[in-house]
């Protein structure tokens, strides 16, 4: 992989495909800078917007952990952990995600960082997630392979996919 492209350039490139109403779906390989780009984009153009959403983050301590939290909050919930192999805690993921979704009210934008493998086998959750696109503006980071949102894009309208990998070719 080449060096990280100029962040300002990427933010401006993303702005060029933002019509102020469309869903923005950022995709790319692992560690290419999807979250960094989204955070910089929001900071520059949407920091005064009412934003909510569901975030996940890989945390490396003595173990690999995946933590779930609500956009703009500090409280975190462990939804996956690896000792020998990765174990996912679907019950925690679903319980907290549904709580967050049920309390989304009057937002300008919903942010999902990241939608990927976790949702693939949770069919009801996928349906709920896709339904959020109907009444909300969504900014989401998408894992490329086997992604339930990418597989359902034919059901969505007014979206743009911003593929960060194209900037590294």
């Amino acid at each position: 992989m080449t060096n990280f492209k100029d962040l300002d350039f990427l933010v401006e490139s993303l702005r060029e495909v933002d019509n102020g109403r469309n869903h923005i779906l950022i995709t790319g390989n692992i560690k290419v800078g999807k979250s960094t780009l989204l955070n910089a984009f929001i900071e520059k153009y949407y920091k005064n917007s009412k934003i909510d959403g569901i975030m996940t983050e890989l945390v490396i301590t003595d173990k690999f952990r995946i933590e779930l939290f609500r956009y703009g909050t500090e409280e975190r919930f462990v939804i996956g952990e690896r000792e020998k192999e990765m174990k996912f805690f679907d019950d925690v993921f679903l319980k907290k995600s549904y709580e967050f979704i049920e309390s989304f009210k009057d937002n300008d934008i919903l942010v999902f960082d990241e939608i990927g493998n976790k949702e693939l086998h949770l069919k009801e959750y996928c349906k709920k997630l896709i339904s959020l696109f109907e009444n909300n503006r969504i900014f989401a980071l998408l894992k490329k392979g086997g992604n339930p949102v990418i597989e359902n894009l034919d059901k969505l309208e007014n979206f743009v996919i911003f593929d960060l990998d194209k900037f590294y070719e």
Side-chain angles (χ1 to χ4, degrees):
M1 171 143 57
T2 54
N3 291 333
F4 188 70
K5 295 285 186 180
D6 180 272
L7 186 57
D8 291 331
F9 170 76
L10 291 172
V11 167
E12 293 312 312
S13 298
L14 184 54
R15 183 66 174 178
E16 288 174 14
V17 298
D18 172 22
N19 68 16
R21 295 175 311 283
N22 56 344
H23 303 298
I24 295 179
L25 311 175
I26 301 172
T27 191
N29 286 317
I30 295 170
K31 296 293 179 200
V32 76
K34 298 180 295 287
S35 297
T36 302
L37 172 60
L38 181 60
N39 291 333
F41 181 70
I42 289 171
E43 179 62 29
K44 182 160 186 182
Y45 291 110
Y46 289 98
K47 67 180 171 194
N48 296 322
S49 299
K50 189 162 185 267
I51 299 175
D52 209 337
I54 298 175
M55 316 296 283
T56 57
E57 184 173 55
L58 177 64
V59 177
I60 302 170
T61 56
D62 56 327
K63 303 176 186 176
F64 283 90
R65 277 197 327 257
I66 301 173
E67 296 180 347
L68 176 81
F69 60 101
R70 191 165 178 173
Y71 185 90
T73 66
E74 295 299 317
E75 187 178 15
R76 291 168 174 257
F77 307 90
V78 177
I79 59 166
E81 197 168 64
R82 184 171 84 193
E83 289 180 27
K84 290 188 174 90
E85 59 184 53
M86 187 61 93
K87 284 192 329 202
F88 290 106
F89 310 126
D90 290 347
D91 54 338
V92 176
F93 174 79
L94 290 171
K95 180 178 187 292
K96 298 316 294 181
S97 293
Y98 281 134
E99 282 176 22
F100 297 163
I101 289 169
E102 293 306 316
S103 61
F104 291 162
K105 301 259 187 288
D106 304 320
N107 295 291
D108 299 319
I109 299 163
L110 292 179
V111 174
F112 294 93
D113 178 0
E114 145 179 291
I115 301 170
N117 286 349
K118 185 79 200 85
E119 296 81 2
L120 189 59
H121 68 285
L122 304 172
K123 299 295 183 207
E124 288 306 311
Y125 180 77
C126 285
K127 287 180 191 167
K128 183 79 163 171
L129 199 56
I130 296 294
S131 74
L132 289 173
F133 280 81
E134 293 168 17
N135 299 312
N136 300 276
R137 185 164 189 220
I138 307 286
F139 290 178
L141 304 187
L142 304 179
K143 185 173 189 298
K144 275 187 174 174
N147 193 307
V149 171
I150 289 177
E151 292 167 6
N152 284 280
L153 286 177
D154 58 328
K155 297 176 184 146
L156 303 180
E157 293 180 20
N158 199 18
F159 68 91
V160 62
I161 294 178
F162 190 83
D163 188 345
L164 260 180
D165 293 338
K166 298 227 183 305
F167 288 87
Y168 292 89
E169 291 173 347

